[in-house]
Amino acid sequence: LTITLFLSNILYFLHANGIQGDFIFYSVLVSKAAQYSFTTFASCMLVILAGLGGTLVLLSVYGKALPALPISIFLGVSFYFLTRALIEPYLIHIIFEKSFYV
């Protein structure tokens, strides 16, 4: 319930500030990541939110409108492939081989 309330507040804030059409692209990427694994889903979702935050920071620095899509989508697609190719096999190896090197 808390996560749903938090996400609805974020969506309301973004909709009030005019960032609504880009959510189609974000949701397609996150849903494709969710079809593969939870790790990929979580990394894509967090990176898209970080990219959106970076876009808002750049907006405050430059003081003019910037497109919200490029930074988040670039980071999301990059981390999607990075997670599928490197992080997911590494986590599977650690979980099933139980080889912790601490």
Side-chain angles (χ1 to χ4, degrees):
L1 181 64
T2 306
I3 294 173
T4 306
L5 184 62
F6 175 71
L7 291 177
S8 67
N9 286 338
I10 289 175
L11 290 175
Y12 175 75
F13 170 76
L14 294 174
H15 180 69
N17 289 324
I19 306 174
Q20 60 219 12
D22 298 336
F23 278 106
I24 295 169
F25 296 103
Y26 300 148
S27 64
V28 168
L29 177 63
V30 170
S31 65
K32 185 65 178 169
Q35 288 177 351
Y36 184 71
S37 70
F38 179 76
T39 307
T40 311
F41 160 74
S43 68
C44 285
M45 186 182 70
L46 292 175
V47 165
I48 285 174
L49 289 175
L52 187 59
T55 302
L56 292 175
V57 167
L58 289 175
L59 174 67
S60 68
V61 168
Y62 290 116
K64 59 181 178 180
L66 297 170
L69 194 61
I71 296 173
S72 295
I73 289 295
F74 174 73
L75 288 174
V77 169
S78 300
F79 271 79
Y80 173 77
F81 289 117
L82 179 73
T83 304
R84 281 191 71 163
L86 298 176
I87 297 173
E88 189 76 26
Y90 177 71
L91 289 176
I92 290 173
H93 175 73
I94 285 178
I95 291 170
F96 290 121
E97 297 295 325
K98 302 207 186 322
S99 56
F100 297 96
Y101 298 108
V102 179

